[in-house]
Amino acid sequence: MKRENKKLEKHFLSQIENTEKIGFSKEEIKASFLKKLFYNLGRVPQVATENDLYKALALTVRDRAFRQFVRSTAEFAQKDARAVAYLSAEYLPGPHLGKNLLNLEITDETREALKELDLDLDEILREEVEPGLGNGGLGRLASCYMDSMATLGVPAIGYGIRYEFGIFNQNIKNGWQSEETDLWLHYGNPWEVVRPEIAYEIKFGGRTEHWVDENDKYQVEWIPDSELKGTAYDTPILGYQSNGIIMRLWKAEAIESFDFSVYNVGDYYKAVEKKMRSENLTKVLYPNDENLSGKELRLKQQYFFVSCSLQDIIRLQLMQGRKLEDLHKKFTIQLNDTHPSIAVAELMRLLVDEHQMEWVDAWNITKNTFAYTNHTLLPEALERWSVGLLGRLLPRHLEIIYEINNRFLNELKERNYNGEQMARMSLIDESGETSVRMAHLATVGSYKVNGVSALHSGLLKKQVLNDFADLWPEKFTNVTNGVDHRRFLGVSNPRLSELISKKIGKHWLTDLMQLHQLEKFSDDKTFQKKWMEIKLQNKKELAAHMEERTGISVDPKMLFDVHVKRIHEYKRQHLKVLHILSLYKRLKNGDDKNIVPTAFIFGGKAAPGYFMAKLIIKLINSVGDLVNNDEQVKDRLKVVFLPNFNVKQAQVVYPAADLSEQISLAGKEASGTGNMKFALNGALTVGTLDGANVEIREEVGDENFFLFGQSTEEVQKTRAEGYRPYKYYEQNEELREVLDLLISGELSDGDKELFRPLYNNLLQQDPYQLLKDYQSYIDKQEEIHKVWSKPGEWAKKSILNVANIGKFSSDRSIKDYCTTIWKIDPVRVED
Ligand SMILES: *Cc1c(COP(=O)(O)O)cnc(C)c1O
């Protein structure tokens, strides 16, 4: 029975609601919950496990989420609205339950309903295992954008990969990181719905055949050597109070019919093996933030999800009775970094080879459909694939890329570009191993290219994509990142949210600029007191959480100085360590003036193959062992490494921070979003002029931001002049003592070699210029400790940070995307 083409209309919803009221009162929630528990899980509350209870509540909430989604979809369909397809290889949604309760505005009702059953909502919330389908900032950004698109009523689908194992769980053993498989699906996933009928075939390998048919039309056929299929798994993502959209993740499976030719000759096991190989494709997320190393499976994953998504978009276009020629009018496809950039070649293939379109027409559609977001300037992170590998896995795509490139280079030739310029801009890098530059493919194939902060977008135009910005200046734009403040303040900091709402009302939930109204209370002593009491409560919660996880106890009255994010040399966790060691030295020498009791809190995962990053984790834990167990300093300094930093932990950490460490070398962090989440929760920032720090400082005011270190220009000048880190070691006595401590054996049970690789790296190359920025950082920290000693002054700065953070809501980012890139009017549906 084919029902797909039936138009979705709103009255469907009333039909459904006549059969069961999907209501929002305490009684209705309680009734639904008990029904789910009994009919879906076969349990009554008395014998249900924590997980049963969590699942029953999740299903109760999911019903209501689907209601919102169906309503939005009906509305979008009726308006024949232009839609965004967001293509991202990573999502980091965090726990769904608490967020969906907030969006449906039923947190209190649910809490009450459960209480009547003698159950505790917070305990149930803790049961949820979050989907770790991303590495860090990039995946989290995609999820913040999903939320804002849903809230604002942007017709959108988020496409991605349903990794069976997400980002590894991090354990700390003897101070070292160890990785454990993430079994997030082990207890089942109540939020997703599988759509077995939405599935597409995906080919790999083989060869192409070219011929001219009887109508004189050039034809190409791709004869693959393997095929598999991708099946859709849908998760509803709710917006606040109204809409809902879908995150559609693809799972790789074997093509249904087993290979019967093999089967018939009796080689059943070979056929089964083939099936298993197919399913491997979406088994695991590559745990690398910022760089990749030419892994074949990674390219397969990228092509797999891109092809499924594009085939799905074409199906949706045709299903609505629209012409394929109008694809770019009804869809815009946002590429989240270069990970999905093979889409440019795949859309060409689908249009030209499968849908018989002329190249010129197909290219016109393609380059008006895609928009590309660049996320990095780090040269080692700019994605490239060797022509050998790409041609072997995707022979037709390599031909298409060469054809796009030929036409592009011809265009340059007509504009009198010289050979050197053309070699620089080519999609193919001929220096060294011949490879495809994915950022160039994405740039040539898109109608807009954006960076993720003002500074980063500027550098993109001046440096990495300079030639392209000269050629197509109107193509380049900026959209500064933002964060989902409903999650990172509304859900994760209920105390502060309540105080804010009491003062200025709840309107900030949909318009973060409303926080400006807090400004007038920044000098109000009673308000300051309440403000800091809430911070203290949050710190107590984090302290308890850390003690449970690490056994280290921390006095919540200490200054909480927090550095959480992926571990990477450019983010300079080791600069923070040098600061801690300098304080340790001073205290040991009896010099304790201007040092306030401080807890240094770290968190973050290192890529499993990144030696230096793993050594930095070991160093942090070694410094912790030294400092935390030293009778003389242990009440003054504490060092904690909180294992397994993820969204769930982030929601406990950001609300409890006093000081936010954003100390990357200027020019290296494209934007950062942790910086925004900290400030949103009233932490003050110590930071360089990097990424969005620049704009945060502009908004909150120089006097409420602790700036240190070189600017991007100064960093480049330092490098150009022949940077010699050793000079700083020689000239700065305290720095020398601190660095020598690394190889003294004091940190490592007498082992003088353990940290020597770090020591040597800093003294010889120091690619991230820690030594150059060291003194400026130390001086700034002294100033910070002075301000902390004046609680009124600190509280005022904290309030002003929150009052002026409105720009960094992802709602603002999505509105920017809508006006400057997507040309979409949000369709907000309200009750
Ligand atoms: C926000 C966030 C990040 C990104 O942090 P940065 O400080 O911007 O690098 C990484 N991981 C998680 C879990 C986050 O919530």
Side-chain angles (χ1 to χ4, degrees), residues 92 136-137 140 488 564-565 571 645-647 650 654 672-674 677:
L92 212 52
R140 183 53 236 173
F488 288 106
V564 290
K565 48 184 77 239
K571 292 178 183 272
F645 185 64
N646 58 12
V647 178
Y654 294 124
T673 49
K677 292 178 246 173

Side-chain angles (χ1 to χ4, degrees), residues 33-34 36-38 41-57 117 119 124 127:
F33 171 74
L34 289 171
K36 291 289 173 196
L37 191 60
F38 190 72
L41 299 156
R43 297 280 201 207
V44 292
Q46 290 74 12
V47 297
T49 65
E50 289 292 321
N51 190 257
D52 293 329
L53 298 172
Y54 158 69
K55 266 196 192 148
L57 187 58
L117 297 166
L119 298 169
I124 294 179
E127 270 301 298

